[in-house]
């Protein structure tokens, strides 16, 4: 059985080219007792200590927020990514994933926790000098110091490297920091900031800046949601930063920013999965007790469809998240490294940056779907504040905006894959050519495999071919100019996300069958529905992309090839969603945990 430290491991994006065995992927069903224990610790902390105080946090009681971060520190939740030598608990990335999932039950505190643990502790761990780590990590890990991450500015959000904050070098090697950051989580009360500024005009650089040196906070933003997390501007007027507080090197700020985002996007995906679990439980319980026309609303097909689909989408993101965490852990384990330095983790997250962007986009969009349907199932009660559904809906909207908007992440997904292909690191170009030859030749006999989810595995091969075909045509049609064709890139991203999600869900369901899970049939229902619908979504995106790229006979030939590849027979999704919904209502929550 694979563990999260398996050694034979696909490289980042390689699933685009080849299939994987179900026993080679990490799934939630393969969590160890240690993982489950820390998940339980995080869940109990949130349920017992955070959720009851949410209203107080929403009144901007930042002393309470600080106390709760401290409490997280006492429980070891802040130091999951930090080796024991620096006061952390040094656990694997599957552990980071389960902690993030549980933290999401309180989205506001999750944001506070994330800005502190993922955006301050992680960059310090990965890029800090020994002296910086010794100075700041213990206090951050105990929650004595609270961290924040200042990258965005009013004029540069997505275009983060366009920052105008300046760090002017002084004769003694120190810097004078001037400028303003916007929308900074924990901005109202953090003590230590990772700030990005241009040194001497153009060298984008990360600096560790203490509040006591003169950092001023703007007023709290009036946000749509996350009212229990602080979001402010930060103002720097001649703030003196000592030379030794450069994080990494002068001019290397982009490396810090982008690598931290790879981690953070993955963890944001995990938070979305955790948020979806909570909402599914709310819907299940409400649907079981709310009666209309003399029956619980859970008995209506329209409601069963919603609950079933909430489960299906959550299953898919969960499957791809655990698969990615397993890949990252396996890559770290296979890389010789000193346990006290973060270089192997850094390299692993750089390698799986496409998967991290997919986790962010797919996770935030699945969560939005789930929370929207959660409101709908609650009817009028979903629209008023007496029920938590309304708060979740507002809180979650920002997930599609921060950590790189979903548009930026969608551009990155094909962009990073194509860059690797052009460098010869990913065999995308030869695979697309081989597929072209195959499609011009006589049809091959379909496989006669009739094992578990054999039709779905065949469908996934079709998805893979469609993805390769669309990538191949896009690269051929536009060459270097493909970056100007954002609409086509968005379609490529969507197809790629569907492929990775569908394959991850199917492999997990097969693994559940092989493990003789008592819920194996439900796993199969979730995977089958996802694959069924992914086929329609992929085909629609591919048709739009092809229509934009070619016309006339070429378009007709490409569409014929698409039809030949995408032969996916519909299943009875109504029956499958009903089974999933009934199991969810019976359990009072997500049935596949
Ligand atoms: C609650 C909250 C907390 C936050 N916390 C932090 C934090 O702790 N630290 C921090 O540094 N920042 C933080 N942010 C800022 C956040 O990261 C930015 O808002 C985000 O990166 C988007 O930048 P922007 O708002 O300037 O939007 P813009 O970049 O102006 O984007 C506007 C729209 O244009 C699109 N767009 C932009 N560029 C392109 C392009 N090249 N191609 C296609 N479409 C494009 C975007 O996708 C978006 O739809 C936070 C924001 C919020 C709301």
């Amino acid at each position: 059985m694979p563990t999260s430290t398996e050694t034979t491991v696909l490289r980042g994006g390689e699933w685009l080219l080849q299939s994987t065995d179900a026993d080679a992927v990490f799934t939630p069903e393969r969590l160890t007792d240690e993982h489950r224990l820390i998940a339980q610790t995080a869940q109990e902390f949130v349920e017992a200590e955070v959720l009851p105080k949410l209203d107080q946090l929403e009144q901007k009681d930042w002393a309470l927020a600080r106390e709760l971060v401290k409490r997280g520190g006492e429980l070891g939740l802040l130091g999951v990514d930090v080796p024991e030598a620096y006061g952390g608990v040094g656990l694997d990335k599957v552990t980071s994933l389960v902690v993030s999932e549980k933290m999401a039950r309180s989205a506001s505190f999750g944001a506070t926790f994330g800005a502190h643990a993922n955006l301050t502790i992680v960059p310090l761990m990965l890029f800090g000098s020994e002296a910086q780590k010794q100075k700041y990590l213990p206090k951050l890990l105990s929650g004595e110091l609270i961290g924040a991450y200042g990258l965005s500015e009013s004029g540069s959000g997505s275009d983060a490297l366009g920052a105008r904050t300046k760090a002017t070098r002084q004769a003694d090697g120190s810097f004078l920091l001037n400028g303003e950051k916007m929308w900074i989580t924990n901005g109202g009360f953090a003590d230590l900031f990772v700030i990005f500024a241009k040194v001497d005009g153009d060298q984008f650089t990360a600096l560790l800046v203490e509040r006591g040196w003169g950092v001023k906070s703007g007023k709290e933003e009036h946000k749509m949601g996350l009212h229990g997390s602080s979001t402010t501007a930060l103002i720097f007027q001649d703030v003196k930063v000592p030379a030794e507080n450069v994080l990494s090197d002068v001019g290397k700020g982009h490396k810090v920013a982008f690598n931290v985002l790879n981690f953070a996007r993955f963890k944001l995906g995990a938070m979305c999965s955790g948020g979806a679990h909570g909402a599914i439980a709310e819907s299940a319980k409400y649907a079981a007790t709310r009666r209309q026309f003399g029956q619980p609303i859970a008995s209506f097909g329209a409601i069963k469809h919603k609950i079933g689909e909430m489960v299906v989408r959550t299953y898919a993101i969960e499957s791809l998240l655990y698969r990615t965490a397993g890949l990252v852990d396996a890559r770290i384990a296979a890389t010789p490294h000193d346990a006290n330095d973060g270089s192997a983790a850094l390299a692993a997250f750089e390698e799986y940056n496409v998967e991290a962007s997919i986790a962010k986009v797919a996770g935030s969009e699945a969560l939005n779907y789930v929370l929207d349907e959660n409101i709908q199932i609650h009817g009028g009660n979903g629209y008023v504040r007496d029920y938590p559904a309304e708060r979740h809906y507002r809180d979650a909207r920002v997930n599609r905006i921060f950590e790189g908007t979903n548009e930026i992440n969608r551009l990155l997904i094909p962009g990073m894959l194509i860059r690797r292909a052009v460098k010869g690191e990913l065999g995308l170009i030869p695979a697309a050519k081989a597929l072209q030859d195959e499609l011009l030749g006589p049809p091959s006999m379909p496989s006669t495999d009739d094992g578990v989810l054999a039709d779905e595995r065949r469908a996934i091969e079709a998805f893979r071919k469609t993805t390769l075909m669309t990538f191949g045509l896009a690269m051929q049609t536009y060459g270097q100019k493909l970056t100007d064709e954002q609409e086509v890139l968005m379609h490529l991203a969507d197809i790629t996300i569907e492929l990775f999600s569908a394959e991850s869900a199917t492999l997990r369901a097969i693994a559940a069958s092989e493990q003789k899970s008592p819920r194996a049939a439900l796993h199969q229902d979730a995977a089958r529905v996802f694959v069924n619908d992914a086929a329609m979504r992929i085909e629609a995106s591919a048709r739009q992309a092809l229509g934009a790229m070619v016309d006339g006979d070429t378009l007709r030939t490409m569409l014929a090839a698409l039809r030949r590849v995408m032969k996916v027979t519909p299943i009875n999704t109504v029956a499958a969603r009903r089974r999933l919904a009934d199991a969810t209502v019976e359990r009072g929550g997500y049935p596949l945990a």
Side-chain angles (χ1 to χ4, degrees):
M1 188 180 102
T3 65
S4 60
T5 56
E6 71 188 273
T7 49
T8 48
V9 47
L10 283 186
R11 302 203 68 94
E14 242 178 355
W15 40 267
L16 207 61
L17 311 179
Q18 64 186 77
S19 61
T20 304
D21 286 339
D23 59 7
V25 292
F26 195 76
T27 68
E29 290 66 49
R30 288 177 164 139
L31 287 174
T32 61
D33 289 345
E34 194 182 27
H35 294 138
R36 290 180 199 278
L37 195 65
I38 194 145
Q40 191 185 340
T41 304
Q43 179 164 343
E44 285 172 3
F45 165 56
V46 172
E47 282 176 2
E49 303 186 45
V50 183
L51 291 180
K53 296 187 178 141
L54 219 47
D55 287 337
Q56 214 177 319
L57 282 176
E58 294 213 341
Q59 298 304 314
K60 322 263 181 246
D61 183 345
W62 303 144
L64 172 62
R66 295 187 78 102
E67 272 313 303
L68 291 172
V69 174
K70 256 194 194 152
R71 187 71 189 115
E74 283 164 20
L75 295 169
L77 301 173
L78 301 177
V80 171
D81 293 294
V82 179
E84 287 176 41
Y86 295 107
V89 283
L91 297 173
D92 59 12
K93 299 306 161 205
V94 171
T95 312
S96 306
L97 162 60
V98 297
V99 168
S100 294
E101 274 185 335
K102 300 300 178 191
M103 284 300 160
R105 292 295 308 284
S106 156
S108 281
F109 183 69
T112 302
F113 178 90
H116 178 74
N118 305 335
L119 297 179
T120 311
I121 291 176
V122 167
L124 185 55
M125 182 53 225
L126 296 179
F127 294 97
S129 66
E130 192 54 34
Q132 289 169 346
K133 289 184 200 170
Q134 295 294 352
K135 182 170 180 191
Y136 295 117
L137 271 179
K139 288 183 182 165
L140 288 167
L141 288 170
S142 67
E144 189 184 327
L145 288 183
I146 302 289
Y149 183 82
L151 177 63
S152 307
E153 299 184 5
S154 60
S156 59
S158 300
D159 179 18
L161 300 185
R164 297 179 68 174
T165 296
K166 284 193 296 199
T168 312
R169 231 190 282 248
Q170 304 298 291
D172 63 356
S174 67
F175 302 88
L176 271 193
L177 192 61
N178 280 287
E180 199 169 315
K181 296 288 169 183
M182 274 289 278
W183 306 297
I184 306 307
T185 304
N186 296 349
F189 62 94
D191 312 288
L192 181 70
F193 303 91
V194 177
I195 299 297
F196 294 83
K198 296 261 177 75
V199 170
D200 298 338
D202 63 348
Q203 293 178 288
F204 194 67
T205 303
L207 299 162
L208 291 165
V209 183
E210 296 182 18
R211 181 181 289 276
W213 298 339
V215 178
K216 301 257 177 343
S217 302
K219 62 175 178 43
E220 285 293 337
E221 299 292 348
H222 295 290
K223 303 187 297 262
M224 174 192 285
L226 295 184
H227 293 164
S229 92
S230 167
T231 310
T232 71
L234 296 176
I235 301 124
F236 315 100
Q237 278 172 340
D238 286 339
V239 173
K240 189 165 177 179
V241 182
E244 63 269 20
N245 273 44
V246 170
L247 186 59
S248 181
D249 292 312
V250 169
K252 294 281 169 14
H254 60 289
K255 279 209 150 247
V256 179
F258 296 148
N259 280 293
V260 167
L261 283 174
N262 290 336
F263 265 70
R265 286 171 183 157
F266 171 70
K267 291 189 183 181
L268 183 69
M271 288 207 178
C272 292
S273 158
H277 278 213
I280 288 172
E282 287 167 15
S283 280
K285 289 180 188 136
Y286 189 84
T289 51
R290 174 74 176 168
R291 295 178 76 85
Q292 288 294 285
F293 303 96
Q295 312 174 43
I297 59 168
S299 66
F300 300 130
I303 300 293
K304 286 182 201 261
H305 175 94
K306 292 183 194 306
I307 296 178
E309 184 61 13
M310 289 157 92
V311 171
V312 167
R313 294 198 192 195
T314 303
Y315 186 79
I317 53 164
E318 206 179 46
S319 304
L320 75 86
L321 280 161
Y322 279 77
R323 181 182 186 187
T324 303
L327 287 168
V328 171
D329 279 334
R331 175 62 65 225
I332 294 173
T335 310
H337 67 283
D338 173 348
N340 291 335
D341 95 58
S343 60
L346 190 66
F349 267 103
E350 203 164 6
E351 165 135 21
Y352 298 104
N353 52 13
V354 170
E355 290 79 358
S357 283
I358 291 177
K360 195 272 173 185
V361 174
S364 58
E365 293 180 4
L367 179 61
N368 266 205
Y369 173 84
V370 167
L371 297 181
D372 185 65
E373 291 292 40
N374 191 31
I375 294 215
Q376 197 67 15
I377 288 169
H378 282 74
N381 281 329
Y383 200 69
V384 296
R385 296 203 169 174
D386 307 1
Y387 283 79
E390 180 267 350
R391 169 151 61 195
H392 298 321
Y393 183 78
R394 286 184 290 103
D395 284 349
R397 185 61 183 83
V398 74
N399 291 325
R400 284 160 56 197
I401 296 171
F402 58 21
E403 315 287 14
T405 65
N406 283 15
E407 292 73 31
I408 294 294
N409 275 285
R410 275 195 165 83
L411 294 174
L412 286 172
I413 292 165
M416 293 187 289
L417 289 168
I418 290 170
R419 205 167 314 130
R420 273 184 226 166
V422 170
K423 279 204 234 159
E425 293 167 4
L426 182 72
L428 188 60
I429 298 168
K433 284 213 173 96
L435 175 66
Q436 212 172 28
D437 295 343
E438 182 192 319
L439 292 174
L440 290 173
S444 50
M445 290 295 286
S447 104
T448 51
D449 174 3
D450 59 358
V452 179
L453 295 181
D455 285 340
E456 283 65 33
R457 277 184 282 144
R458 275 187 284 273
I460 283 155
E461 286 320 309
F463 297 173
R464 213 183 318 274
K465 285 182 179 174
T466 302
T467 313
L468 280 175
M469 188 170 99
T470 319
F471 263 94
L473 185 66
M475 290 166 79
Q476 216 173 2
T477 308
Y478 301 114
Q480 305 254 336
K481 294 223 156 69
L482 179 53
T483 47
D484 298 336
E485 301 299 327
Q486 289 200 345
E487 297 91 329
V488 170
L489 288 168
M490 298 279 151
H491 287 307
L492 283 173
D494 286 344
I495 296 172
T496 308
I497 293 169
E498 294 287 353
L499 165 63
F500 191 56
S501 308
E503 188 183 51
S504 303
T506 302
L507 293 172
R508 177 177 170 196
I510 295 171
S513 295
E514 287 170 356
Q515 290 159 7
K516 311 235 173 312
S517 157
R519 302 224 141 200
L522 287 175
H523 281 264
Q524 289 188 31
D525 279 336
R528 295 184 77 212
V529 173
F530 192 88
V531 170
N532 183 83
D533 290 9
M536 294 185 281
R537 295 190 289 259
I538 289 175
E539 193 163 349
S541 285
R543 286 174 67 88
Q544 297 218 39
L546 298 181
M549 291 190 274
V550 287
D551 54 16
D553 284 348
T554 318
L555 177 59
R556 275 188 283 281
T557 309
M558 293 306 296
L559 289 174
L562 180 65
R563 273 194 300 276
R564 184 169 147 189
V565 168
M566 285 291 282
K567 279 200 184 118
V568 179
T569 311
I571 63 154
N572 184 350
T573 54
V574 171
R577 280 200 192 86
R578 282 187 180 183
R579 287 190 290 270
L580 288 165
D582 290 346
T584 307
V585 172
E586 195 186 313
R587 178 179 276 196
Y590 182 68
L592 296 165

